[in-house]
Amino acid sequence: MKSVLILILSFLPLATMASSLPDEPHVYVEGSASIDVSPDIVLFSIHLEEIDKDVDLAKEAIDKNSKALLSKSIELGIDLKNITSDSLRVQRKTRWEQGKSIYIGTSVSRNIKIKLTNIDLYSEVLSSLIALKISEDISSSLDVSDSDALTDKALNAAMEDARKRATMLAKSQGKTLGDVYSISEFNLRRLEKQYLNVSRSISGSHASILAEDIGTTSDYSIANALSRVSGISVRGAGSSFEPGTMVATAQIFVVYELE
């Protein structure tokens, strides 16, 4: 009895796929759309780390740097709700020397994230973060505040694209489109579960910034700092920080009946 049940269950994906298509003449199309969008958010990630054989001293240093970063963020007008921090991470650190593991101290670290809702302040904020000299590991990326509305707009455009494609295919065979039989954001002809992902996203985070806009510091190399900032490049004289264009994409699968 169990073997019969297993056999029936093994055919369920095939049955599911078969039910997604009508027995009558139909056309199965994929619609897609890409919409250029302008980012309006910069997400900063600052990694703080201190290594000391005295874990209490390492923690005190991290707490001091965290407070300095918080104070500077408030001074720059960043809302406290846009500043988040991970919990402290404590980890033993060693190095290999002549085939032996040598204890060098305990690492105490945390990541602090800042959401900047005014990207015009990007240069000033990055300059201030570097000038604090509390981290050499600063990264940033661009984002949008209305991602749901933008991907919905792309989805509607993808639906229009699907109808246009279906109309063209039907016309080529002397047919006209009938009713919509099914609409899905998943490609139901793929049986593998890993393919069941909604095909909507916003991608792209490139921007550029003029090196002189960030200023200089004696102990920090601007070029090295910028190399850790994802999506940011240094341009020559006459340029300034420019957020790149992001892209909202959507994909949809539609089955139309044919008449």
Side-chain angles (χ1 to χ4, degrees):
M1 183 66 178
K2 289 183 178 179
S3 62
V4 174
L5 180 59
I6 292 174
L7 183 61
I8 292 174
L9 290 176
S10 68
F11 281 103
L12 281 178
L14 292 176
T16 301
M17 180 187 72
S19 64
S20 66
L21 299 174
D23 294 330
E24 295 75 17
H26 63 275
V27 59
Y28 179 39
V29 294
E30 169 199 339
S32 60
S34 298
I35 299 174
D36 290 342
V37 298
S38 299
D40 57 357
I41 293 175
V42 176
L43 302 173
F44 284 101
S45 179
I46 304 96
H47 180 70
L48 303 180
E49 182 176 23
E50 191 72 27
I51 300 176
D52 199 298
K53 289 186 176 180
D54 187 329
V55 66
D56 289 331
L57 290 179
K59 181 180 181 302
E60 286 178 10
I62 291 298
D63 288 341
K64 178 182 178 180
N65 290 339
S66 298
K67 290 178 181 178
L69 178 57
L70 184 62
S71 297
K72 176 56 68 174
S73 298
I74 294 174
E75 180 184 324
L76 291 168
I78 298 173
D79 197 316
L80 285 176
K81 68 180 181 181
N82 292 328
I83 306 172
T84 59
S85 172
D86 295 342
S87 57
L88 282 176
R89 182 181 181 185
V90 180
Q91 186 178 22
R92 178 185 174 86
K93 287 287 186 178
T94 60
R95 73 166 181 266
W96 285 97
E97 190 174 295
Q98 297 180 347
K100 294 182 179 180
S101 178
I102 308 298
Y103 171 70
I104 61 173
T106 300
S107 165
V108 178
S109 63
R110 70 155 42 111
N111 288 318
I112 295 180
K113 296 179 176 59
I114 297 174
K115 182 170 76 171
L116 183 64
T117 56
N118 182 358
I119 62 177
D120 291 336
L121 296 178
Y122 176 87
S123 300
E124 181 182 356
V125 172
L126 180 58
S127 177
S128 298
L129 294 177
I130 294 174
L132 283 175
K133 302 181 183 180
I134 60 175
S135 175
E136 292 185 357
D137 191 353
I138 302 172
S139 63
S140 70
S141 60
L142 299 175
D143 203 354
V144 293
S145 57
D146 53 347
S147 59
D148 288 342
L150 291 169
T151 53
D152 284 346
K153 183 178 179 181
L155 186 64
N156 288 330
M159 189 65 198
E160 289 300 317
D161 180 57
R163 172 171 286 277
K164 184 185 298 183
R165 290 172 182 269
T167 300
M168 180 180 65
L169 291 172
K171 185 177 180 180
S172 70
Q173 300 302 311
K175 301 287 187 180
T176 58
L177 288 187
D179 294 333
V180 173
Y181 181 81
S182 69
I183 304 174
S184 177
E185 290 188 78
F186 307 111
N187 189 348
L188 299 179
R189 286 188 171 180
R190 291 183 175 180
L191 301 182
E192 298 85 351
K193 291 183 179 180
Q194 62 265 30
Y195 288 116
L196 292 180
N197 296 307
V198 175
S199 299
R200 286 190 284 171
S201 66
I202 294 181
S203 59
S205 60
H206 182 74
S208 61
I209 187 170
L210 179 63
E212 65 188 36
D213 288 342
I214 335 175
T216 58
T217 59
S218 57
D219 298 327
Y220 278 64
S221 165
I222 292 299
N224 289 338
L226 282 174
S227 70
R228 296 186 176 90
V229 182
S230 63
I232 305 300
S233 62
V234 180
R235 293 187 175 184
S239 299
S240 59
F241 172 74
E242 297 177 3
T245 299
M246 302 180 72
V247 181
T249 63
Q251 192 176 35
I252 200 165
F253 302 89
V254 187
V255 177
Y256 291 94
E257 294 178 349
L258 292 177
E259 296 179 349

